[in-house]
Amino acid sequence: MRMLLRWKNKESKEFNSFFKNILGYVPRHTELYHVAFTHRSLSSSHKGHRVNNERLEYLGDAVLSAVVADYLYRKYPFQGEGFLTELRSKIVSRASLNKLSTKIGLFDLIAYQHDSTGGFKSIGGDAFEALVGAMYIDKGYKFVRRILIDRILCTYLDVDAMAEMDWNFKSKLIDWGQKNHKKITFEVVRTINQGHAARRQYESRVCIDGEAQKSAVEFSIKAAEQLAAEKTYKDLVEKGAIVK
């Protein structure tokens, strides 16, 4: 069984380079970050508890959401709640965080059971949130906020471009259905349990006039429906059923 343990050596060039070049600081508690980079497929046991990045991921999710909300509130002083909420959702979505993880080189530091990655589509985004959680414990909120804004949001993400991106494909698909006398419905195909309720995933599927279309998996039913709607909408565009 193949395993990737790139960070096992505490002095590894990859580990040190990531913090120096990408985040711009030296970690105080390196073991905390090693846990943040450990996927549950390589969980170890300590005093009867499984050690992996899920707890840090839970913490980082909340911290990241708060930082992004604060950043957007200040960046767009005249935009309403709906705009800010939608843009925050775009930034912290699993699809966005997965791409970001690869772009900054974080994915290369994740310790995971290689043969299992096909079943863990959000491994990069999860690790990014766990990294935020580790940074929060190691350095505090003000430090995390500065790093996330200066080193990540303003460097690796074009927030203004993201604000212009199509996002609410669910509404677009429903509008198309109403104009073309098509009944658009969404159904939860299955629930995927991953150890505890906070990491539960849902697979949702779009149906048009009762006929199954595209499906998607996300950490909330709403997000899964949105992603499934996007896949279905783009598929209909390719087939010529929707003319943009």
Side-chain angles (χ1 to χ4, degrees):
M1 185 176 291
R2 297 175 60 195
M3 296 183 181
L4 298 185
L5 294 165
R6 291 188 173 94
W7 53 259
K8 201 64 176 179
N9 179 359
K10 294 181 183 180
E11 305 302 322
S12 71
K13 291 182 179 179
E14 294 88 349
F15 184 89
N16 292 330
S17 177
F18 174 76
F19 282 92
K20 178 181 178 181
N21 298 326
I22 303 299
L23 300 182
Y25 76 98
V26 177
R28 186 182 307 159
H29 303 293
T30 56
E31 286 299 330
L32 185 63
Y33 295 92
H34 292 164
V35 173
F37 298 156
T38 301
H39 187 256
R40 68 176 180 278
S41 61
L42 283 186
S43 298
S44 60
S45 180
H46 178 68
K47 297 182 179 180
H49 299 284
R50 296 174 70 223
V51 179
N52 56 48
N53 65 6
E54 288 187 330
R55 282 172 52 82
L56 286 172
E57 179 191 341
Y58 158 79
L59 179 61
D61 174 51
V63 175
L64 177 63
S65 183
V67 170
V68 172
D70 182 15
Y71 171 73
L72 295 179
Y73 183 85
R74 298 170 190 274
K75 180 176 175 62
Y76 300 103
F78 303 110
Q79 292 289 356
E81 183 267 346
F83 171 89
L84 298 175
T85 298
E86 184 171 318
L87 183 51
R88 181 181 61 181
S89 295
K90 292 179 185 179
I91 294 172
V92 303
S93 71
R94 274 298 177 278
S96 177
L97 294 184
N98 284 340
K99 291 178 183 178
L100 179 61
S101 172
T102 299
K103 185 182 293 186
I104 67 177
L106 172 59
F107 190 89
D108 293 332
L109 295 175
I110 304 171
Y112 60 90
Q113 183 178 304
H114 185 73
D115 293 339
S116 299
T117 54
F120 304 127
K121 296 181 180 179
S122 59
I123 185 173
D126 295 347
F128 183 82
E129 288 184 340
L131 169 63
V132 174
M135 290 169 56
Y136 173 74
I137 293 175
D138 189 31
K139 298 287 189 175
Y141 179 80
K142 289 185 178 180
F143 181 88
V144 174
R145 183 183 182 281
R146 178 173 63 81
I147 294 296
L148 286 177
I149 293 176
D150 295 346
R151 290 275 182 167
I152 302 297
L153 292 176
C154 294
T155 303
Y156 292 97
L157 295 178
D158 188 338
V159 177
D160 289 327
M162 294 181 76
E164 298 298 322
M165 286 170 47
D166 281 332
W167 174 254
N168 199 345
F169 284 93
K170 182 176 179 181
S171 291
K172 293 175 68 173
L173 188 61
I174 291 173
D175 288 343
W176 171 82
Q178 291 174 343
K179 292 177 182 178
N180 292 274
H181 308 290
K182 303 285 187 181
K183 184 178 181 181
I184 308 296
T185 57
F186 296 83
E187 60 182 11
V188 177
V189 178
R190 60 181 174 133
T191 300
I192 306 168
N193 293 308
Q194 300 186 14
H196 55 81
R199 305 317 306 156
R200 183 176 296 140
Q201 291 182 300
Y202 303 89
E203 180 179 2
S204 291
R205 179 166 58 203
V206 176
C207 292
I208 300 178
D209 289 336
E211 184 176 340
Q213 304 295 317
K214 300 295 183 179
S215 64
V217 176
E218 264 293 357
F219 285 92
S220 71
I221 295 176
K222 182 179 180 180
E225 288 179 347
Q226 189 66 251
L227 185 54
E230 178 180 355
K231 290 181 178 180
T232 300
Y233 188 90
K234 290 180 177 179
D235 183 57
L236 291 172
V237 170
E238 288 184 8
K239 293 176 178 178
I242 294 178
V243 179
K244 299 185 68 176

